Amino acid sequence: MNIVTHQPTMTPMFPLQKSNSLQAKPYSALPRELVIIDPGVEDYQILAAAVRPESEVVVLHPHEDGIAQITQLVAGTGQYRRTTTLHLISHGEPGTLYLGNRILNRETLPHYAPQLQQWRIKQLHIYGCQVAAGTEGQEFLQQLHRYT
């Protein structure tokens, strides 16, 4: 699995979700590329509207565990279980991502390992300021790579 970090210049799980229910789409029609946006990102609605049409967008619920929300979407029989590329747009700092009401960093990664391993994605793109910066950021990405 490849992890790509991006330094940005810049569906709550409910309002921007564009897909119908799982029953409405055959397996082959399920999206392969999913963009997850943390609503703490300024002007996240503008970012969501600019996503390529072939990608699905989900905005995390700000008062819930973001890792649990993503796992629910992409693991098992989730609506986005066929996802191969996951884009995470959130606030960050060296070695840290903010997803929903949770912090993902080197200290919390082992706790989330069972959920992260269920993601079964081929590419993870991270858009968060400073996430990959310095030794802390690089070690975080290496550890995240092992778990996903």
Side-chain angles (χ1 to χ4, degrees):
M1 196 257 322
N2 295 325
I3 297 178
V4 179
T5 60
H6 303 272
Q7 294 294 338
T9 57
M10 39 156 213
T11 325
M13 266 179 81
F14 37 95
L16 295 175
Q17 214 166 347
K18 299 187 286 187
S19 291
N20 296 327
S21 69
L22 179 61
Q23 294 80 11
K25 287 187 173 185
Y27 181 80
S28 61
L30 293 174
R32 294 179 158 260
E33 193 162 327
L34 181 60
V35 178
I36 302 286
I37 302 175
D38 184 274
V41 173
E42 188 174 329
D43 295 327
Y44 73 88
Q45 300 93 336
I46 295 170
L47 294 172
V51 171
R52 296 184 313 217
E54 65 271 14
S55 299
E56 291 287 333
V57 175
V58 176
V59 176
L60 296 173
H61 190 287
H63 304 297
E64 296 180 14
D65 181 331
I67 292 84
Q69 292 177 69
I70 295 167
T71 303
Q72 180 183 4
L73 290 167
V74 301
T77 60
Q79 182 172 357
Y80 302 101
R81 69 186 180 279
R82 195 162 179 240
T83 298
T84 57
T85 302
L86 186 62
H87 300 265
L88 298 179
I89 302 173
S90 75
H91 281 293
E93 56 188 58
T96 303
L97 279 173
Y98 298 97
L99 298 168
N101 67 359
R102 295 294 192 266
I103 295 172
L104 189 62
N105 59 29
R106 289 183 47 220
E107 290 76 37
T108 61
L109 272 171
H111 169 77
Y112 287 110
Q115 291 177 40
L116 295 169
Q117 290 166 349
Q118 293 178 51
W119 291 8
R120 297 176 309 224
I121 54 175
K122 293 181 181 175
Q123 290 190 352
L124 175 60
H125 297 264
I126 299 172
Y127 306 83
C129 293
Q130 303 295 317
V131 172
T135 303
E136 185 72 19
Q138 293 303 305
E139 290 175 1
F140 168 74
L141 292 179
Q142 289 171 2
Q143 191 175 2
L144 180 60
H145 182 265
R146 284 193 296 274
Y147 289 130
T148 55

